[in-house]
Amino acid sequence: MSRTTGSQSSLREANRTLVIETVKEFGGLTQVELIDATGLSAATVSTIVKELTSSGVVDTQPTSRSGRRAQMVTLSPQTGLVAGVHVARRQIRVLLGDFSYTTLASTSLPVPFDQPADTGLDRIALLLAEMIDGVGRSTSDLLAVGIACPAPVDATGMVSVRGLMPGWEDEQIGELVAKRLGCAVHVDNDANLGALAEVTLGASREVADSLWLTVSDGVGAGLVLGRRVHRGFAGAAGEIGHVQVDPTGSICRCGNRGCLETVVGAEALLAPLRPLHPHLTLRDLVDRAVHGDAGCRRVIADAAATIGRVVGSVCQMVNPPMVVVGGPLAESGEVFLEPLRAALAQHTIRHLLGPVEVVPSRLGSTAEVTGALVLAVQRTDVTHRSET
């Protein structure tokens, strides 16, 4: 009898955990969608959702699907606070939210690219303390922080490739922030977290496999397989910016020669336009292209074609149905997307099911910092929080 009771209890606990983790993975689902995603019976899902709602682990809100009323299940905002941080090359962006992925506050701060890690980490801690106070909460409510870095990060939270993040190498970033904030801190590459955000809350939510592509100061990609970000053993999967495209090209900051980033990174894009526009920025390039500047449109289209050749090789190996494009160049719309699609079509074999779909990011400039917040939520165990 006790063995049967124990087995039933273990099964209930496993089903409860499965429901919670599935809600985390998709950022919220209706009960009908939960049944499909978990494979559990309608009665089991209904019972578990009621239990989790009464214990404060999940929330339900009325919604509609295909014209029918439904109940959307999300993690409860009352679970606590989480934060996402994006340490970009020129700024730090911080997002404060809750476990239902609702944004409570956001801010950004310009920073020099080569600032020491201690300085950056102190600023992150200070910004978060101010934001938490600003929403009338206590720092003890902050349960986890995710940090997106512009470089590969290994499992220990350290930058795993030298030269890409000066001043932050040889630092246990997560551990140092955790000491400052007194909560769990999780660190990953920003392209990986852009991909995580899109598959959880954005454009690739409906597909199992996808590629996230971002073009800004550098070029990066995040690869999602089976709705899981594929990071590689050193966290360096998706570093397409350091694929060689010109064996005789310029030396890259990674130490190699002729990397994609040296050809289509921000400085490389702006260089041929400097004689005409000496003070041109990447933002100006995109704005001018959108408004019809022929030279700016040509620069962006050429970059898209070059990137498309590299992305085509990735798609040929992995065969995802979708490429999601973020970063400033994506804001030029079809000026960038159309030649990217053409290059992909040229450099991948044709399938009867059709070409790879290329779509703009649904989360835009907030994708990476949102992914950092998603990482914080997904790495936090809320299963027993109501019991503690």
Side-chain angles (χ1 to χ4, degrees):
M1 175 69 75
S2 62
R3 182 177 300 173
T4 301
T5 302
S7 298
Q8 291 175 341
S9 176
S10 297
L11 180 59
R12 283 195 299 271
E13 185 63 25
N15 288 342
R16 173 186 165 103
T17 300
L18 176 60
V19 168
I20 292 172
E21 293 303 315
T22 303
V23 172
K24 281 186 186 180
E25 178 183 337
F26 288 88
L29 293 168
T30 66
Q31 289 196 199
V32 172
E33 290 168 338
L34 266 175
I35 293 166
D36 182 58
T38 61
L40 299 175
S41 69
T44 298
V45 169
S46 178
T47 298
I48 291 173
V49 168
K50 287 178 181 177
E51 291 175 353
L52 293 174
T53 302
S54 64
S55 62
V57 175
V58 304
D59 250 5
T60 58
Q61 296 289 336
T63 187
S64 63
R65 283 289 189 270
S66 303
R68 297 182 178 181
R69 288 182 297 177
Q71 287 291 316
M72 176 64 70
V73 182
T74 62
L75 293 182
S76 172
Q78 304 308 313
T79 302
L81 300 177
V82 286
V85 178
H86 183 201
V87 182
R89 293 183 68 186
R90 303 180 192 277
Q91 70 170 354
I92 292 174
R93 186 190 293 265
V94 184
L95 189 67
L96 183 67
D98 59 33
F99 279 74
S100 67
Y101 297 117
T102 299
T103 298
L104 304 178
S106 64
T107 190
S108 62
L109 178 71
V111 294
F113 174 52
D114 57 352
Q115 67 168 349
D118 280 346
T119 302
L121 298 178
D122 286 341
R123 288 178 173 176
I124 290 169
L126 181 61
L127 284 173
L128 274 172
E130 292 175 346
M131 293 167 72
I132 292 169
D133 184 64
V135 298
R137 303 289 287 271
S138 165
T139 52
S140 62
D141 294 326
L142 184 65
L143 301 185
V145 175
I147 299 180
C149 292
V153 177
D154 66 23
T156 71
M158 291 182 62
V159 174
S160 63
V161 177
R162 292 190 173 278
L164 303 186
M165 203 172 173
W168 295 70
E169 295 166 352
D170 301 319
E171 300 286 359
Q172 294 281 357
I173 298 171
E175 183 178 307
L176 292 173
V177 178
K179 288 180 179 178
R180 286 167 167 82
L181 297 174
C183 67
V185 178
H186 310 284
V187 187
D188 202 350
N189 171 255
D190 55 3
N192 285 343
L193 294 182
L196 178 64
E198 292 291 344
V199 76
T200 306
L201 303 170
S204 56
R205 194 171 184 269
E206 303 301 323
V207 298
D209 303 331
S210 59
L211 183 74
W212 155 261
L213 172 68
T214 181
V215 186
S216 183
D217 291 305
V219 187
L223 184 60
V224 174
L225 301 175
R227 297 191 59 84
R228 298 287 186 271
V229 176
H230 178 72
R231 294 176 170 85
F233 82 96
E239 285 292 322
I240 65 169
H242 300 286
V243 171
Q244 188 183 71
V245 295
D246 182 2
T248 63
S250 302
I251 298 297
C252 180
R253 60 195 175 103
C254 73
N256 291 327
R257 182 184 292 278
C259 294
L260 177 64
E261 186 174 297
T262 67
V263 178
V264 300
E267 289 306 313
L269 293 179
L270 298 175
L273 297 166
R274 293 290 191 201
L276 295 174
H277 310 290
H279 305 294
L280 195 71
T281 66
L282 190 60
R283 178 72 269 167
D284 296 333
L285 170 68
V286 172
D287 288 343
R288 285 177 174 273
V290 169
H291 289 94
D293 185 293
C296 292
R297 292 172 74 92
R298 177 59 183 267
V299 165
I300 291 177
D302 288 349
T306 301
I307 294 167
R309 290 197 295 272
V310 176
V311 173
S313 296
V314 178
C315 290
Q316 193 62 56
M317 290 186 289
V318 182
N319 192 213
M322 181 179 290
V323 173
V324 182
V325 185
L329 287 197
E331 296 176 22
S332 66
E334 291 302 311
V335 177
F336 180 75
L337 296 178
E338 192 280 328
L340 178 64
R341 292 191 188 101
L344 277 176
Q346 183 179 359
H347 295 282
T348 53
I349 59 175
R350 298 186 179 186
H351 302 283
L352 294 178
L353 294 178
V356 177
E357 186 178 9
V358 178
V359 300
S361 164
R362 193 173 295 172
L363 299 169
S365 62
T366 67
E368 293 92 340
V369 72
T370 299
L373 187 141
V374 171
L375 180 70
V377 169
Q378 294 192 352
R379 294 282 182 89
T380 303
D381 182 7
V382 300
T383 308
H384 303 291
R385 287 199 61 80
S386 63
E387 302 166 6
T388 58

